[in-house]
Amino acid sequence: MKTSLSTLLLSLALLAPAASLAQAAAAPTAGPAAAAPPVATPQVFPTKPVMRPDGRKWRIGYFESGDYSEYPRTLRVTVDGLQKLGWITVPAIPDGLNGRQMWEYLADNVRSDTLEFVRDAWWQPGNFDAAQRPAVRESIKQRLEGRKDIDLIIAMGTWAGQDMAGLGAPVPTIVASTSDAVGARITRSAQDSGLDNLHARVQPERYQRQVRLFHEIVPFKRLGLVYEDSPEGRTYSAVEAVEQVAREQGFKVLTCNAPSNGIAPEVATRNALECYARLAPQIDAAYVTVHRGVTPASIDTVAEILRQARVPSFSMLGSEEVKHGLLLSLAQADYSYVGLFYAETMARIFNGAKARELSQVWIDPAKIALNLQTARVIGFDPPVDILLAADEVYEAR
């Protein structure tokens, strides 16, 4: 049965708890009702700043999958979250820094009595170069097992998360900025990471919810999807989730393979733009997913390609891309929610929690973003429900 738009919007809103509510330790699983003892109250770990038990500062390292604009953005809001919780003070971080530059800035400028960002504890397998991953993993393993001077690793991106999980997460590891940690086999399930020292934010059914809402608003028959046809590329673009909804709703998915890993960023961008231009005449909607070639510098061009073809578009990433010309999105408009979630997780680990004990499940605050100018250009008349529910409405671009 087809769900009404109003019902779908309401269900999305009800699935959006505050980030801080998701961080109690998991309660024990109850047995059969007739014989079950009273369920223990889950332990709640504080987020207050504390030193290591030996009186020294906690030392944090950073493992980045490659150069991708979302990684420094996520690191920035995580740092903001730590600052809100009182762990650090840091001057305004300059704009335009890549991951390594931001890490070095933090190592040199963060002031804290309780933790430090270790300048030389930074790893990356080059420009998403798969050939370098084994050497980087070995370097991290030797550092963690030999020198034993790192207390926690921020693993940014799918590759970094997979590699830390493959090492068995020798120290507490926060996996951030992954499209699907379960599908990428970083974490065992949404409820259990599978490793005591591993934590990865999981958003169950996130992309299915996005595509269902998009199809409810724009009842398309042919949905365009651009991604690199590799295990990682399919994970980044939530291909299985899209295909699941396509089977449910009866629409076709037209795809284009845009290689992105192990090549120069400008080549990845060219591949993505060529794919969108190739698909645009064949589709009646586009789901614009995470891809190395879709960046703050190229999203305007992607949006213009789709607008010129009068193709409605939905951004997987969020409202920032709607601001730049895509039609719709359902994602967090404010990354501070995400940063605070990661910061609280780190703080609770430093206060005695095992990473595995903390809930990984986090649902985006339900926000709709709409670009009215794009709607006019493509001849799309937004339903009244959408106009009423839109948290952000853009006229520019």
Side-chain angles (χ1 to χ4, degrees):
M1 184 180 351
K2 194 171 186 180
T3 305
S4 73
L5 181 57
S6 297
T7 301
L8 190 55
L9 290 171
L10 178 60
S11 67
L12 290 168
L14 293 174
L15 282 170
S20 59
L21 297 181
Q23 285 298 346
T29 302
V39 177
T41 301
Q43 183 176 358
V44 178
F45 294 92
T47 61
K48 64 182 181 181
V50 293
M51 304 281 288
R52 279 173 42 125
D54 60 7
R56 293 187 294 150
K57 295 181 181 181
W58 301 98
R59 289 167 57 85
I60 302 174
Y62 182 74
F63 180 15
E64 185 178 69
S65 300
D67 291 324
Y68 179 51
S69 59
E70 283 304 298
Y71 298 161
R73 184 183 182 191
T74 302
L75 179 58
R76 181 188 294 266
V77 294
T78 302
V79 169
D80 289 344
L82 289 169
Q83 189 158 226
K84 288 176 182 175
L85 295 176
W87 284 79
I88 63 174
T89 58
V90 60
I93 302 173
D95 293 331
L97 301 183
N98 63 26
R100 181 163 199 166
Q101 291 166 339
M102 186 174 293
W103 190 254
E104 291 175 348
Y105 180 87
L106 295 172
D108 294 342
N109 292 280
V110 162
R111 299 293 174 260
S112 173
D113 294 328
T114 54
L115 61 80
E116 62 181 303
F117 296 83
V118 181
R119 203 176 204 274
D120 69 344
W122 179 94
W123 295 272
Q124 184 201 82
N127 185 30
F128 286 93
D129 186 352
Q132 294 188 37
R133 288 177 73 181
V136 173
R137 283 195 301 269
E138 184 61 27
S139 175
I140 294 172
K141 180 180 178 181
Q142 290 180 7
R143 175 73 174 260
L144 298 182
E145 295 180 354
R147 294 170 60 176
K148 300 183 185 296
D149 66 334
I150 302 300
D151 299 301
L152 181 142
I153 293 283
I154 299 172
M156 195 68 74
T158 297
W159 279 13
Q162 289 172 331
D163 288 349
M164 286 303 298
L167 289 173
V171 300
T173 300
I174 306 300
V175 182
S177 197
T178 58
S179 295
D180 183 357
V182 177
R185 294 189 172 88
I186 295 169
T187 181
R188 178 182 295 172
S189 68
Q191 291 72 35
D192 180 17
S193 71
L195 295 169
D196 284 350
N197 279 333
L198 188 71
H199 184 281
R201 182 172 64 109
V202 178
Q203 299 166 277
E205 293 276 310
R206 178 190 185 191
Y207 305 116
Q208 288 92 332
R209 288 185 287 122
Q210 288 186 349
V211 178
R212 289 186 189 114
L213 179 64
F214 189 27
H215 188 253
E216 188 69 40
I217 297 168
V218 181
F220 46 80
K221 299 295 185 183
R222 300 178 306 280
L223 180 67
L225 194 64
V226 171
Y227 61 93
E228 177 185 83
D229 192 11
S230 66
E232 294 86 359
R234 293 177 65 86
T235 298
Y236 300 153
S237 296
V239 175
E240 289 186 6
V242 175
E243 291 174 342
Q244 174 191 331
V245 180
R247 290 190 296 270
E248 294 172 358
Q249 304 292 338
F251 61 82
K252 293 181 179 179
V253 180
L254 278 65
T255 66
C256 184
N257 178 26
S260 63
N261 285 333
I263 57 179
E266 58 271 20
V267 178
T269 295
R270 183 171 67 244
N271 291 342
L273 295 179
E274 288 177 352
C275 267
Y276 280 107
R278 191 176 308 140
L279 281 180
Q282 308 172 45
I283 59 179
D284 46 24
Y287 186 42
V288 180
T289 62
V290 170
H291 188 281
R292 279 187 68 225
V294 180
T295 68
S298 68
I299 187 60
D300 294 273
T301 305
V302 172
E304 188 59 25
I305 289 170
L306 297 173
R307 292 208 303 187
Q308 289 298 318
R310 299 171 66 85
V311 171
S313 53
F314 194 106
S315 167
M316 168 191 276
L317 193 57
S319 58
E320 187 64 26
E321 293 188 340
V322 176
K323 185 177 180 180
H324 283 264
L326 296 189
L327 178 65
L328 286 163
S329 183
L330 178 65
Q332 72 276 2
D334 185 350
Y335 259 39
S336 66
Y337 294 110
V338 178
L340 186 59
F341 182 83
Y342 291 134
E344 287 178 341
T345 302
M346 294 168 63
R348 289 188 164 95
I349 290 171
F350 294 146
N351 273 279
K354 289 182 179 178
R356 190 177 187 176
E357 291 179 297
L358 300 173
S359 174
Q360 301 183 120
V361 176
W362 190 89
I363 306 297
D364 305 54
K367 295 181 180 292
I368 290 178
L370 170 67
N371 192 306
L372 281 180
Q373 183 176 351
T374 296
R376 286 192 290 268
V377 168
I378 68 175
F380 173 71
D381 186 16
V384 173
D385 285 348
I386 290 299
L387 293 174
L388 293 175
D391 294 88
E392 299 183 21
V393 177
Y394 297 102
E395 287 279 0
R397 304 287 177 179

